[in-house]
Amino acid sequence: MKLKMELRTSVAAVIFLLQFMLGVSSIPAQTPAASPASPITAQVFRLDGGNSTYAFGVNERGELQALYWGGRLGAQDKIPAAHSSPEMASFDSPYTVTPQEYSAWGAGLFTEPALKVTFADGNRDLVLHFVSAKSTSTQSLEILLKDISCQIYVTLRYAIDAESGILARSAIIENKEKQPVVVEQAAAAQWTLPPARYSLTYLTGRWAGEWSLNQEPIIGAARVIESRRGTTGHQANPWLAISRDANQSAPGASSRPGAQEETGEVWFGALAWSGSWRFTVEHDQRDSVRVTGGFNPFDFGYKLKSGEKLETPIFYGGYSAHGLGGASRLLHHFELAHILPQAPDPKPRPVIYNSWEATEFNVDEPGQVALAEKAASIGVDRFVMDDGWFGQRKTDHAGLGDWYVNKEKFPNGLKPLIDKVHALGMDFGLWVEPEMINPDSDLYRKHPEWVLNFPGRPRSESRNQLVLNLARADVRDYLENVLDQLLTQNDIAFLKWDYNRNWSEPGWDQVPVDEQKRVYVEFIRNLYSILAELRQKHPKVEIESCSGGGGRVDLGILSYTDEVWPSDNTDPFDRLAMQDGFTYAYTPQIMMAWVTDSPHWLNGRATSLSYRMLSSMQGSLGIGANLNHWTAEDFATAKRLIAAYHAAQRTIVRGDLYRLLSPRDGSEFSSTESVSTDKKQAVVFAFSHSTQKGRGFPLLQWRGLDPKAEYQLTWIEGTARPETPASASGAWWMNHGIQLELKGDFQAAAFRLDRQR
Ligand code: GLA
């Protein structure tokens, strides 16, 4: 990326440019001038990365204004300077119709503000003007804004990824007033798209039903996507995509085509925050679309004392000219290269065995050893013991908080089991739920004051548990210490870090009343700091983010965790649509998928082991079935398919994903394809939900291959029609395609192409 500042020629502008090039960290505050001739109007900031360009500038009033975001512009192209929009009508101030980069609530702003503040004297008017700019590297920039009269400063941070063009934006709000202020609303960023017709794509869900992809036209008013739960939530995920409609002249919403999978312009965003969050998508009166995202303002109120700063999470944004498929491929590679703890080259996830669905809380040494022996026999890499091993944990009524080994179940501690697992050639993982506590626990009996609560009010339980107030330094330190000891005393390679309820009564009575709402920020910061310190002290330990399934999946937690548990729903058919939704936002590398028992406990659906295996092989494979009930044939099938998975895993989880046929909306068929980034290998999965009226499986035309290269076909599961060639060019597989004989209910096939030359 080349960071460029384009400045109109004027003496002052040249001085500014020189200061900038010489690395001057900031230029003095300039009084906003009304005159369009002011040098301040000449400033345009431009960021280029991948196939996109992002630009903004300072208008004649001194406001920072969005100018361009889209396909990459020519290096020599001049971006016209910013001009504030005129008053559209007496009802719409110029301030509200100007597409500001980071709008403060004041001066007649009627759209969603990025920042809203109450001052000690009751003033609530805040108007931010440009002060200075500095480049922090060749790919990043900081802009300083300040209120027109008060000492409230906002630093906007921008960093663009040279490869993907994905931009990281965040804000730091600083109070240099003598008195405290209360920040009532603080976004990480606001994004503006030019007047056009657009469609919105976003993810919603519920427990055991996460990752539903929703698509709708953006037709005015505001759309709010949020969590008020103190955590990311199952109900909505902090990711969205906005597609420019293919038919811009279609009059009504119903006739508009909406988002396309492989064509058209798409802008996407993802917030790196695991607490309450909010996106507001507005269609304004200029037909522009504005997206504001950051801390959820609901029940927010962050007191900033004199001299204090509040830093927002990062809101990532990107652009693709290749539809939603292109957008998700950019995001997947960005997550692998920049977000995950092992970035830029995260190890493929070990194939795990997890005991939860087999044993639930009834874990003990002989039972786990028996499962471990069977898991090792089919090629599993990691054995994970789930809930039930600690404290007085026999059901979900007791034990959370007591992170010491239950002596009835493991009389000699965990060591004999861990040694056995190692002797079988696997590493060992353990389930924990550190932020939670059962009232029936030694920890609660000792520290009832450690939970989130309002004194004198009920403490609402969910799954018989309360939430520890991690915002408290003593709770934070206690948990870090307990987990550090657990990892020091036992040879543990992996923690499944669970979080099985959302907040209620989020009181924090140890701090003054006007500071208690800081809990929404400090809790999450402390969670991140525990994870960071544990990783630093135990660099070999990998961590999974689980929250009763996919309740805590976001780019914030993913900086500290290697994988996620997308859902407690392991029904292989339901999983197809959930995995489809998941991959719009997140890489298959982190998408753990277990093969469990049939009929499935949730839907009562019976499916073959091979169907279940292939469904899970679309992500990072695990086995969660009760192996004590398996037949010799089951073991043979699983062993064969785990070997096939290991051979192609890197392509599946790290390659370019093409969603060839969607499983959504009651589709009879579905299919995905992953192509390794060097185009040497491709893997296709195909599923038939139910053949209806004798319809055949749609022609599968592969994507992303090298048309000139020769590829050999290998079947992982299923067989080809007799006329299918054993080897053909990339052009043949992409254009002629392949016809599958996949008939019946819950049938699956998988096959692979390997480049010969
Ligand atoms: C949550 C997780 C499950 C399992 C249970 C254990 O529901 O999502 O996978 O670990 O907790 O109590």
Side-chain angles (χ1 to χ4, degrees):
M1 187 283 310
K2 284 192 191 114
L3 172 64
K4 291 191 181 135
M5 300 175 59
E6 296 181 2
L7 303 170
R8 273 187 187 165
T9 42
S10 80
V11 175
V14 170
I15 291 169
F16 179 89
L17 181 60
L18 282 173
Q19 286 174 315
F20 187 82
M21 287 164 65
L22 290 168
V24 175
S25 60
S26 66
I27 57 168
Q30 301 181 35
T31 315
S35 154
S38 160
I40 213 167
T41 64
Q43 291 163 30
V44 171
F45 306 95
R46 170 175 169 170
L47 295 139
D48 293 291
N51 292 321
S52 70
T53 295
Y54 187 89
F56 55 96
V58 184
N59 68 25
E60 45 279 80
R61 282 198 302 266
E63 296 151 0
L64 203 63
Q65 185 176 325
L67 287 176
Y68 178 80
W69 188 21
R72 190 157 180 159
L73 304 177
Q76 306 309 322
D77 290 337
K78 291 265 175 294
I79 293 169
H83 291 294
S84 61
S85 308
E87 184 177 278
M88 278 182 75
S90 56
F91 299 97
D92 294 306
S93 66
Y95 190 74
T96 212
V97 287
T98 297
Q100 298 192 45
E101 272 290 284
Y102 196 81
S103 61
W105 189 72
L109 182 84
F110 303 116
T111 49
E112 186 72 14
L115 184 62
K116 184 175 184 308
V117 162
T118 296
F119 289 84
D121 64 0
N123 170 38
R124 304 194 305 280
D125 182 63
L126 186 70
V127 178
L128 296 174
H129 279 185
F130 175 81
V131 176
S132 62
K134 69 173 177 176
S135 83
T136 43
S137 80
T138 51
Q139 293 171 255
S140 56
L141 172 67
E142 279 187 9
I143 301 289
L144 185 65
L145 307 176
K146 183 192 163 295
D147 179 64
I148 47 173
S149 65
C150 298
Q151 301 298 309
I152 297 294
Y153 288 82
V154 176
T155 302
L156 300 183
R157 287 185 167 165
Y158 296 80
I160 198 162
D161 174 39
E163 206 176 323
S164 63
I166 291 177
L167 194 60
R169 289 187 55 190
S170 60
I172 301 168
I173 299 126
E174 185 172 8
N175 176 20
K176 289 193 180 172
E177 290 277 290
K178 291 203 170 65
Q179 299 295 318
V181 299
V182 177
V183 178
E184 287 157 2
Q185 195 158 342
Q190 285 183 307
W191 309 88
T192 303
L193 301 181
R197 294 176 189 276
Y198 298 97
S199 295
L200 175 67
T201 304
Y202 59 104
L203 290 160
T204 57
R206 56 172 188 261
W207 175 78
E210 302 88 335
W211 312 110
S212 297
L213 197 79
N214 307 283
Q215 299 189 314
E216 63 198 29
I218 300 176
I219 46 169
R223 185 78 163 105
V224 171
I225 310 167
E226 65 171 354
S227 161
R228 299 180 174 190
R229 296 164 179 266
T231 187
T232 324
H234 300 74
Q235 289 67 21
N237 190 267
W239 167 88
L240 53 67
I242 295 178
S243 318
R244 195 176 138 93
D245 290 351
N247 184 353
Q248 287 289 309
S249 59
S254 59
S255 59
R256 282 161 52 183
Q260 309 289 306
E261 182 65 21
E262 292 295 339
T263 55
E265 290 189 287
V266 173
W267 294 258
F268 55 94
L271 186 73
W273 187 240
S274 314
S276 294
W277 58 274
R278 187 165 96 178
F279 290 167
T280 305
V281 181
E282 290 171 292
H283 175 131
D284 73 11
Q285 31 227 323
R286 299 180 319 127
D287 292 316
S288 294
V289 166
R290 310 254 305 141
V291 178
T292 307
F295 295 125
N296 195 326
F298 180 81
D299 199 37
F300 202 72
Y302 194 98
K303 181 178 168 186
L304 266 189
K305 293 182 200 152
S306 179
E308 280 187 338
K309 295 178 183 174
L310 171 63
E311 186 169 351
T312 72
I314 296 176
F315 195 170
Y316 293 94
Y319 166 84
S320 167
H322 303 285
L324 290 164
S328 60
R329 286 188 289 276
L330 281 179
L331 204 41
H332 294 173
H333 290 302
F334 181 76
E335 289 158 359
L336 292 163
H338 299 287
I339 299 286
L340 293 171
Q342 295 177 5
D345 191 19
K347 282 186 260 161
R349 304 289 71 228
V351 172
I352 65 144
Y353 178 79
N354 179 294
S355 62
W356 173 247
E357 289 199 23
T359 64
E360 295 208 337
F361 301 96
N362 299 322
V363 293
D364 59 18
E365 196 181 308
Q368 293 292 297
V369 167
L371 289 169
E373 282 167 346
K374 295 185 173 77
S377 76
I378 52 174
V380 163
D381 306 305
R382 171 172 288 169
F383 184 84
V384 182
M385 179 160 65
D386 211 279
D387 198 349
W389 60 270
F390 53 90
Q392 295 310 309
R393 189 75 166 168
K394 293 185 181 120
T395 65
D396 61 17
H397 283 79
L400 289 175
D402 299 341
W403 301 109
Y404 51 82
V405 180
N406 181 302
K407 288 283 179 194
E408 274 171 61
K409 299 181 183 186
F410 296 92
N412 302 308
L414 296 178
K415 191 165 186 317
L417 173 62
I418 296 177
D419 287 349
K420 178 70 183 172
V421 165
H422 288 165
L424 289 165
M426 301 180 289
D427 66 20
F428 180 78
L430 196 62
W431 181 94
V432 289
E433 195 179 0
E435 298 140 278
M436 296 293 166
I437 186 164
N438 287 116
D440 185 0
S441 67
D442 293 346
L443 186 65
Y444 189 81
R445 284 182 277 276
K446 202 167 162 203
H447 286 297
E449 77 285 7
W450 275 10
V451 301
L452 285 178
N453 76 104
F454 294 113
R457 305 286 304 170
R459 299 172 171 207
S460 303
E461 293 175 20
S462 297
R463 207 194 191 202
N464 313 301
Q465 63 199 55
L466 298 166
V467 185
L468 284 169
N469 183 0
L470 208 56
R472 291 175 58 126
D474 49 3
V475 174
R476 184 226 162 275
D477 293 347
Y478 173 82
L479 284 183
E480 203 223 309
N481 191 30
V482 162
L483 294 165
D484 181 27
Q485 279 179 32
L486 187 66
L487 296 175
T488 305
Q489 288 161 10
N490 300 284
D491 195 350
I492 293 171
F494 170 81
L495 288 179
K496 173 175 171 180
W497 186 299
D498 215 333
Y499 185 80
N500 273 312
R501 62 160 293 180
N502 298 150
W503 293 9
S504 57
E505 304 106 9
W508 180 10
D509 66 325
Q510 289 73 38
V511 295
V513 171
D514 59 359
E515 289 173 31
Q516 292 182 3
K517 288 182 174 175
R518 288 168 72 133
V519 69
Y520 285 101
V521 177
E522 313 308 348
F523 186 113
I524 310 303
R525 294 263 148 84
N526 281 345
L527 166 66
Y528 290 164
S529 81
I530 294 177
L531 288 164
E533 274 187 47
L534 289 175
R535 292 199 78 105
Q536 196 246 326
K537 285 185 187 158
H538 305 278
K540 291 203 182 115
V541 174
E542 298 182 339
I543 304 175
E544 175 177 283
S545 173
C546 173
S547 172
R552 191 152 66 185
V553 184
D554 59 79
L555 295 191
I557 203 78
L558 283 172
S559 288
Y560 306 95
T561 54
D562 305 272
E563 59 184 58
V564 302
W565 182 227
S567 180
D568 279 349
N569 181 352
T570 52
D571 176 300
F573 172 67
D574 281 3
R575 272 288 177 118
L576 295 180
M578 293 162 91
Q579 291 173 177
D580 174 84
F582 184 97
T583 59
Y584 280 85
Y586 303 104
T587 163
Q589 158 88 8
I590 64 162
M591 183 173 78
M592 300 308 291
W594 306 344
V595 173
T596 57
D597 289 326
S598 172
H600 194 264
W601 58 268
L602 184 64
N603 295 322
R605 179 177 294 118
T607 51
S608 68
L609 181 57
S610 117
Y611 181 88
R612 281 176 274 149
M613 288 290 298
L614 265 52
S615 168
S616 294
M617 284 163 66
Q618 284 191 316
S620 281
L621 176 64
I623 309 288
N626 190 341
L627 300 178
N628 296 323
H629 299 159
W630 274 21
T631 63
E633 196 189 338
D634 291 338
F635 281 106
T637 303
K639 188 172 181 177
R640 175 173 54 80
L641 289 173
I642 288 175
Y645 179 76
H646 273 138
Q649 181 176 6
R650 213 179 161 81
T651 299
I652 296 168
V653 298
R654 301 276 302 266
D656 284 324
L657 177 71
Y658 296 90
R659 290 173 289 257
L660 301 179
L661 293 173
S662 165
R664 275 176 276 125
D665 307 323
S667 165
E668 288 168 54
F669 312 104
S670 70
S671 180
T672 58
E673 178 199 358
S674 308
V675 186
S676 62
T677 44
D678 60 8
K679 297 186 188 290
K680 282 192 177 154
Q681 189 177 66
V683 180
V684 163
F685 293 97
F687 301 90
S688 158
H689 167 233
S690 53
T691 300
Q692 291 166 34
K693 298 171 185 152
R695 271 193 288 273
F697 203 92
L699 175 73
L700 280 185
Q701 289 167 304
W702 301 53
R703 287 179 171 272
L705 304 174
D706 178 348
K708 295 207 179 88
E710 186 74 8
Y711 290 91
Q712 189 179 0
L713 181 69
T714 307
W715 284 83
I716 294 171
E717 193 74 341
T719 48
R721 282 188 172 189
E723 67 271 21
T724 311
S727 173
S729 69
W732 199 94
W733 299 113
M734 291 195 289
N735 298 322
H736 180 280
I738 183 166
Q739 206 96 47
L740 294 188
E741 291 283 15
L742 201 59
K743 281 194 173 163
D745 296 351
F746 307 113
Q747 300 296 309
F751 42 107
R752 207 173 103 178
L753 286 182
D754 290 281
R755 187 176 174 149
Q756 302 303 295
R757 54 192 151 79

